[in-house]
Each structure stands twice: as C-alpha cells, then as structure tokens.
PDB file of all heavy atoms in Angstrom:
ATOM      1  N   ASP A   1      -7.981  -6.938  -0.472  1.00 92.00           N
ATOM      2  CA  ASP A   1      -8.720  -8.149  -0.105  1.00 92.00           C
ATOM      3  C   ASP A   1      -8.648  -9.199  -1.215  1.00 92.00           C
ATOM      4  O   ASP A   1      -8.224  -8.923  -2.336  1.00 92.00           O
ATOM      5  CB  ASP A   1     -10.162  -7.836   0.278  1.00 92.00           C
ATOM      6  CG  ASP A   1     -11.030  -7.356  -0.876  1.00 92.00           C
ATOM      7  OD1 ASP A   1     -10.833  -7.793  -2.019  1.00 92.00           O
ATOM      8  OD2 ASP A   1     -11.935  -6.547  -0.625  1.00 92.00           O
ATOM      9  N   GLY A   2      -9.027 -10.410  -0.869  1.00 92.00           N
ATOM     10  CA  GLY A   2      -8.939 -11.523  -1.809  1.00 92.00           C
ATOM     11  C   GLY A   2      -9.814 -11.373  -3.037  1.00 92.00           C
ATOM     12  O   GLY A   2      -9.466 -11.847  -4.112  1.00 92.00           O
ATOM     13  N   PHE A   3     -10.949 -10.701  -2.893  1.00 93.00           N
ATOM     14  CA  PHE A   3     -11.831 -10.491  -4.050  1.00 93.00           C
ATOM     15  C   PHE A   3     -11.155  -9.590  -5.087  1.00 93.00           C
ATOM     16  O   PHE A   3     -11.169  -9.865  -6.285  1.00 93.00           O
ATOM     17  CB  PHE A   3     -13.161  -9.880  -3.605  1.00 93.00           C
ATOM     18  CG  PHE A   3     -13.930 -10.751  -2.651  1.00 93.00           C
ATOM     19  CD1 PHE A   3     -13.988 -10.427  -1.312  1.00 93.00           C
ATOM     20  CD2 PHE A   3     -14.583 -11.884  -3.096  1.00 93.00           C
ATOM     21  CE1 PHE A   3     -14.697 -11.221  -0.421  1.00 93.00           C
ATOM     22  CE2 PHE A   3     -15.300 -12.693  -2.217  1.00 93.00           C
ATOM     23  CZ  PHE A   3     -15.348 -12.354  -0.876  1.00 93.00           C
ATOM     24  N   THR A   4     -10.541  -8.514  -4.607  1.00 96.00           N
ATOM     25  CA  THR A   4      -9.843  -7.591  -5.503  1.00 96.00           C
ATOM     26  C   THR A   4      -8.606  -8.249  -6.089  1.00 96.00           C
ATOM     27  O   THR A   4      -8.320  -8.101  -7.286  1.00 96.00           O
ATOM     28  CB  THR A   4      -9.468  -6.297  -4.751  1.00 96.00           C
ATOM     29  OG1 THR A   4     -10.656  -5.741  -4.184  1.00 96.00           O
ATOM     30  CG2 THR A   4      -8.808  -5.294  -5.666  1.00 96.00           C
ATOM     31  N   ALA A   5      -7.876  -9.002  -5.265  1.00 97.00           N
ATOM     32  CA  ALA A   5      -6.683  -9.698  -5.753  1.00 97.00           C
ATOM     33  C   ALA A   5      -7.058 -10.715  -6.835  1.00 97.00           C
ATOM     34  O   ALA A   5      -6.388 -10.808  -7.867  1.00 97.00           O
ATOM     35  CB  ALA A   5      -5.957 -10.377  -4.600  1.00 97.00           C
ATOM     36  N   ALA A   6      -8.147 -11.454  -6.622  1.00 96.00           N
ATOM     37  CA  ALA A   6      -8.584 -12.437  -7.622  1.00 96.00           C
ATOM     38  C   ALA A   6      -8.981 -11.757  -8.927  1.00 96.00           C
ATOM     39  O   ALA A   6      -8.644 -12.226 -10.020  1.00 96.00           O
ATOM     40  CB  ALA A   6      -9.744 -13.263  -7.074  1.00 96.00           C
ATOM     41  N   ALA A   7      -9.682 -10.639  -8.828  1.00 97.00           N
ATOM     42  CA  ALA A   7     -10.064  -9.894 -10.037  1.00 97.00           C
ATOM     43  C   ALA A   7      -8.830  -9.378 -10.768  1.00 97.00           C
ATOM     44  O   ALA A   7      -8.771  -9.415 -12.003  1.00 97.00           O
ATOM     45  CB  ALA A   7     -10.987  -8.735  -9.667  1.00 97.00           C
ATOM     46  N   THR A   8      -7.836  -8.935 -10.019  1.00 97.00           N
ATOM     47  CA  THR A   8      -6.595  -8.451 -10.625  1.00 97.00           C
ATOM     48  C   THR A   8      -5.854  -9.595 -11.314  1.00 97.00           C
ATOM     49  O   THR A   8      -5.328  -9.430 -12.416  1.00 97.00           O
ATOM     50  CB  THR A   8      -5.705  -7.778  -9.567  1.00 97.00           C
ATOM     51  OG1 THR A   8      -6.454  -6.724  -8.936  1.00 97.00           O
ATOM     52  CG2 THR A   8      -4.439  -7.213 -10.174  1.00 97.00           C
ATOM     53  N   ILE A   9      -5.836 -10.757 -10.673  1.00 97.00           N
ATOM     54  CA  ILE A   9      -5.205 -11.932 -11.289  1.00 97.00           C
ATOM     55  C   ILE A   9      -5.923 -12.286 -12.588  1.00 97.00           C
ATOM     56  O   ILE A   9      -5.282 -12.598 -13.595  1.00 97.00           O
ATOM     57  CB  ILE A   9      -5.203 -13.117 -10.300  1.00 97.00           C
ATOM     58  CG1 ILE A   9      -4.153 -12.867  -9.211  1.00 97.00           C
ATOM     59  CG2 ILE A   9      -4.970 -14.446 -11.011  1.00 97.00           C
ATOM     60  CD1 ILE A   9      -4.182 -13.851  -8.054  1.00 97.00           C
ATOM     61  N   ARG A  10      -7.238 -12.205 -12.616  1.00 97.00           N
ATOM     62  CA  ARG A  10      -7.979 -12.498 -13.846  1.00 97.00           C
ATOM     63  C   ARG A  10      -7.642 -11.484 -14.953  1.00 97.00           C
ATOM     64  O   ARG A  10      -7.558 -11.858 -16.127  1.00 97.00           O
ATOM     65  CB  ARG A  10      -9.488 -12.515 -13.578  1.00 97.00           C
ATOM     66  CG  ARG A  10      -9.940 -13.682 -12.731  1.00 97.00           C
ATOM     67  CD  ARG A  10      -9.733 -14.996 -13.481  1.00 97.00           C
ATOM     68  NE  ARG A  10     -10.261 -16.115 -12.700  1.00 97.00           N
ATOM     69  CZ  ARG A  10      -9.555 -17.171 -12.353  1.00 97.00           C
ATOM     70  NH1 ARG A  10      -8.294 -17.280 -12.727  1.00 97.00           N
ATOM     71  NH2 ARG A  10     -10.096 -18.149 -11.656  1.00 97.00           N
ATOM     72  N   GLN A  11      -7.421 -10.231 -14.588  1.00 96.00           N
ATOM     73  CA  GLN A  11      -7.012  -9.227 -15.581  1.00 96.00           C
ATOM     74  C   GLN A  11      -5.629  -9.555 -16.142  1.00 96.00           C
ATOM     75  O   GLN A  11      -5.400  -9.436 -17.352  1.00 96.00           O
ATOM     76  CB  GLN A  11      -7.007  -7.840 -14.962  1.00 96.00           C
ATOM     77  CG  GLN A  11      -8.385  -7.307 -14.640  1.00 96.00           C
ATOM     78  CD  GLN A  11      -8.340  -6.000 -13.860  1.00 96.00           C
ATOM     79  OE1 GLN A  11      -7.303  -5.580 -13.370  1.00 96.00           O
ATOM     80  NE2 GLN A  11      -9.495  -5.355 -13.728  1.00 96.00           N
ATOM     81  N   ILE A  12      -4.729  -9.970 -15.281  1.00 96.00           N
ATOM     82  CA  ILE A  12      -3.382 -10.359 -15.728  1.00 96.00           C
ATOM     83  C   ILE A  12      -3.468 -11.536 -16.688  1.00 96.00           C
ATOM     84  O   ILE A  12      -2.824 -11.555 -17.742  1.00 96.00           O
ATOM     85  CB  ILE A  12      -2.493 -10.700 -14.513  1.00 96.00           C
ATOM     86  CG1 ILE A  12      -2.232  -9.455 -13.672  1.00 96.00           C
ATOM     87  CG2 ILE A  12      -1.182 -11.354 -14.962  1.00 96.00           C
ATOM     88  CD1 ILE A  12      -1.671  -9.736 -12.287  1.00 96.00           C
ATOM     89  N   GLU A  13      -4.286 -12.529 -16.326  1.00 96.00           N
ATOM     90  CA  GLU A  13      -4.450 -13.694 -17.197  1.00 96.00           C
ATOM     91  C   GLU A  13      -5.037 -13.316 -18.549  1.00 96.00           C
ATOM     92  O   GLU A  13      -4.613 -13.848 -19.582  1.00 96.00           O
ATOM     93  CB  GLU A  13      -5.358 -14.725 -16.521  1.00 96.00           C
ATOM     94  CG  GLU A  13      -4.738 -15.395 -15.338  1.00 96.00           C
ATOM     95  CD  GLU A  13      -5.695 -16.313 -14.614  1.00 96.00           C
ATOM     96  OE1 GLU A  13      -6.911 -16.005 -14.559  1.00 96.00           O
ATOM     97  OE2 GLU A  13      -5.225 -17.329 -14.102  1.00 96.00           O
ATOM     98  N   ALA A  14      -5.977 -12.399 -18.562  1.00 95.00           N
ATOM     99  CA  ALA A  14      -6.593 -11.967 -19.821  1.00 95.00           C
ATOM    100  C   ALA A  14      -5.554 -11.321 -20.730  1.00 95.00           C
ATOM    101  O   ALA A  14      -5.582 -11.517 -21.947  1.00 95.00           O
ATOM    102  CB  ALA A  14      -7.744 -11.004 -19.539  1.00 95.00           C
ATOM    103  N   GLN A  15      -4.635 -10.575 -20.141  1.00 94.00           N
ATOM    104  CA  GLN A  15      -3.575  -9.940 -20.925  1.00 94.00           C
ATOM    105  C   GLN A  15      -2.585 -10.967 -21.453  1.00 94.00           C
ATOM    106  O   GLN A  15      -2.085 -10.836 -22.569  1.00 94.00           O
ATOM    107  CB  GLN A  15      -2.841  -8.900 -20.080  1.00 94.00           C
ATOM    108  CG  GLN A  15      -3.682  -7.698 -19.724  1.00 94.00           C
ATOM    109  CD  GLN A  15      -3.003  -6.794 -18.704  1.00 94.00           C
ATOM    110  OE1 GLN A  15      -1.944  -7.104 -18.168  1.00 94.00           O
ATOM    111  NE2 GLN A  15      -3.622  -5.659 -18.429  1.00 94.00           N
ATOM    112  N   ARG A  16      -2.304 -11.978 -20.662  1.00 92.00           N
ATOM    113  CA  ARG A  16      -1.341 -13.017 -21.053  1.00 92.00           C
ATOM    114  C   ARG A  16      -1.933 -14.005 -22.045  1.00 92.00           C
ATOM    115  O   ARG A  16      -1.208 -14.604 -22.828  1.00 92.00           O
ATOM    116  CB  ARG A  16      -0.888 -13.803 -19.828  1.00 92.00           C
ATOM    117  CG  ARG A  16       0.000 -13.061 -18.886  1.00 92.00           C
ATOM    118  CD  ARG A  16       0.394 -13.981 -17.757  1.00 92.00           C
ATOM    119  NE  ARG A  16       1.228 -13.312 -16.779  1.00 92.00           N
ATOM    120  CZ  ARG A  16       1.526 -13.811 -15.594  1.00 92.00           C
ATOM    121  NH1 ARG A  16       1.073 -14.989 -15.243  1.00 92.00           N
ATOM    122  NH2 ARG A  16       2.294 -13.139 -14.772  1.00 92.00           N
ATOM    123  N   GLY A  17      -3.238 -14.235 -21.937  1.00 91.00           N
ATOM    124  CA  GLY A  17      -3.866 -15.290 -22.724  1.00 91.00           C
ATOM    125  C   GLY A  17      -3.649 -16.627 -22.032  1.00 91.00           C
ATOM    126  O   GLY A  17      -2.955 -16.726 -21.025  1.00 91.00           O
ATOM    127  N   GLY A  18      -4.232 -17.664 -22.556  1.00 83.00           N
ATOM    128  CA  GLY A  18      -4.098 -18.985 -21.950  1.00 83.00           C
ATOM    129  C   GLY A  18      -5.217 -19.264 -20.961  1.00 83.00           C
ATOM    130  O   GLY A  18      -6.029 -18.394 -20.653  1.00 83.00           O
ATOM    131  N   PRO A  19      -5.241 -20.479 -20.455  1.00 91.00           N
ATOM    132  CA  PRO A  19      -6.325 -20.862 -19.545  1.00 91.00           C
ATOM    133  C   PRO A  19      -6.171 -20.211 -18.173  1.00 91.00           C
ATOM    134  O   PRO A  19      -5.049 -19.966 -17.719  1.00 91.00           O
ATOM    135  CB  PRO A  19      -6.177 -22.379 -19.446  1.00 91.00           C
ATOM    136  CG  PRO A  19      -4.729 -22.632 -19.720  1.00 91.00           C
ATOM    137  CD  PRO A  19      -4.308 -21.571 -20.703  1.00 91.00           C
ATOM    138  N   PRO A  20      -7.287 -19.934 -17.503  1.00 95.00           N
ATOM    139  CA  PRO A  20      -7.206 -19.351 -16.168  1.00 95.00           C
ATOM    140  C   PRO A  20      -6.771 -20.382 -15.127  1.00 95.00           C
ATOM    141  O   PRO A  20      -7.088 -21.562 -15.240  1.00 95.00           O
ATOM    142  CB  PRO A  20      -8.631 -18.872 -15.895  1.00 95.00           C
ATOM    143  CG  PRO A  20      -9.479 -19.746 -16.742  1.00 95.00           C
ATOM    144  CD  PRO A  20      -8.657 -20.067 -17.969  1.00 95.00           C
ATOM    145  N   VAL A  21      -6.053 -19.920 -14.133  1.00 96.00           N
ATOM    146  CA  VAL A  21      -5.650 -20.759 -13.003  1.00 96.00           C
ATOM    147  C   VAL A  21      -6.834 -20.831 -12.040  1.00 96.00           C
ATOM    148  O   VAL A  21      -7.463 -19.805 -11.759  1.00 96.00           O
ATOM    149  CB  VAL A  21      -4.413 -20.136 -12.304  1.00 96.00           C
ATOM    150  CG1 VAL A  21      -4.077 -20.865 -11.019  1.00 96.00           C
ATOM    151  CG2 VAL A  21      -3.226 -20.117 -13.244  1.00 96.00           C
ATOM    152  N   PRO A  22      -7.170 -22.022 -11.535  1.00 97.00           N
ATOM    153  CA  PRO A  22      -8.260 -22.096 -10.550  1.00 97.00           C
ATOM    154  C   PRO A  22      -7.929 -21.267  -9.305  1.00 97.00           C
ATOM    155  O   PRO A  22      -6.811 -21.326  -8.790  1.00 97.00           O
ATOM    156  CB  PRO A  22      -8.334 -23.586 -10.196  1.00 97.00           C
ATOM    157  CG  PRO A  22      -7.658 -24.291 -11.323  1.00 97.00           C
ATOM    158  CD  PRO A  22      -6.623 -23.340 -11.849  1.00 97.00           C
ATOM    159  N   ILE A  23      -8.904 -20.481  -8.859  1.00 97.00           N
ATOM    160  CA  ILE A  23      -8.770 -19.712  -7.622  1.00 97.00           C
ATOM    161  C   ILE A  23      -9.843 -20.213  -6.672  1.00 97.00           C
ATOM    162  O   ILE A  23     -11.034 -20.150  -6.979  1.00 97.00           O
ATOM    163  CB  ILE A  23      -8.937 -18.205  -7.855  1.00 97.00           C
ATOM    164  CG1 ILE A  23      -7.860 -17.677  -8.806  1.00 97.00           C
ATOM    165  CG2 ILE A  23      -8.876 -17.454  -6.522  1.00 97.00           C
ATOM    166  CD1 ILE A  23      -8.024 -16.216  -9.185  1.00 97.00           C
ATOM    167  N   ILE A  24      -9.429 -20.717  -5.511  1.00 95.00           N
ATOM    168  CA  ILE A  24     -10.354 -21.196  -4.494  1.00 95.00           C
ATOM    169  C   ILE A  24     -10.397 -20.152  -3.387  1.00 95.00           C
ATOM    170  O   ILE A  24      -9.381 -19.857  -2.766  1.00 95.00           O
ATOM    171  CB  ILE A  24      -9.917 -22.561  -3.946  1.00 95.00           C
ATOM    172  CG1 ILE A  24      -9.913 -23.591  -5.081  1.00 95.00           C
ATOM    173  CG2 ILE A  24     -10.828 -22.998  -2.797  1.00 95.00           C
ATOM    174  CD1 ILE A  24      -9.382 -24.940  -4.697  1.00 95.00           C
ATOM    175  N   ALA A  25     -11.559 -19.579  -3.180  1.00 90.00           N
ATOM    176  CA  ALA A  25     -11.733 -18.537  -2.167  1.00 90.00           C
ATOM    177  C   ALA A  25     -11.973 -19.180  -0.805  1.00 90.00           C
ATOM    178  O   ALA A  25     -12.746 -20.125  -0.679  1.00 90.00           O
ATOM    179  CB  ALA A  25     -12.908 -17.637  -2.528  1.00 90.00           C
ATOM    180  N   LEU A  26     -11.277 -18.666   0.198  1.00 86.00           N
ATOM    181  CA  LEU A  26     -11.380 -19.176   1.564  1.00 86.00           C
ATOM    182  C   LEU A  26     -11.697 -18.033   2.511  1.00 86.00           C
ATOM    183  O   LEU A  26     -11.323 -16.893   2.265  1.00 86.00           O
ATOM    184  CB  LEU A  26     -10.046 -19.804   1.996  1.00 86.00           C
ATOM    185  CG  LEU A  26      -9.477 -20.900   1.108  1.00 86.00           C
ATOM    186  CD1 LEU A  26      -8.055 -21.216   1.523  1.00 86.00           C
ATOM    187  CD2 LEU A  26     -10.334 -22.136   1.204  1.00 86.00           C
ATOM    188  N   THR A  27     -12.360 -18.368   3.604  1.00 81.00           N
ATOM    189  CA  THR A  27     -12.584 -17.385   4.657  1.00 81.00           C
ATOM    190  C   THR A  27     -12.712 -18.128   5.985  1.00 81.00           C
ATOM    191  O   THR A  27     -13.133 -19.281   6.019  1.00 81.00           O
ATOM    192  CB  THR A  27     -13.838 -16.526   4.404  1.00 81.00           C
ATOM    193  OG1 THR A  27     -13.972 -15.596   5.478  1.00 81.00           O
ATOM    194  CG2 THR A  27     -15.087 -17.357   4.299  1.00 81.00           C
ATOM    195  N   ALA A  28     -12.358 -17.449   7.054  1.00 73.00           N
ATOM    196  CA  ALA A  28     -12.504 -18.028   8.391  1.00 73.00           C
ATOM    197  C   ALA A  28     -13.938 -17.909   8.877  1.00 73.00           C
ATOM    198  O   ALA A  28     -14.276 -18.414   9.939  1.00 73.00           O
ATOM    199  CB  ALA A  28     -11.556 -17.333   9.364  1.00 73.00           C
TER     200      ALA A  28
END
C-alpha cells in the first residue's frame, strides 16, 4: 500500500542523505 511504500521511500532517502522528495498521498 501507499503508506508502506512512502515509509520505504523515506528509509531510502535517509540512507542516501539529502532533502526528502515531497510525497502527496491520494485516495479515491
């Protein structure tokens, strides 16, 4: 799901360093 994917992306960013990419959550 998008919540888990977003958390995983934040973990990747933490490992890489640098500013986080904005994540906009959407739902129908």
Side-chain angles (χ1 to χ4, degrees):
D1 68 33
F3 299 106
T4 304
T8 304
I9 286 171
R10 291 294 184 236
Q11 290 173 348
I12 293 165
E13 290 175 326
Q15 292 171 354
R16 289 182 182 168
V21 172
I23 299 175
I24 298 175
L26 305 169
T27 180

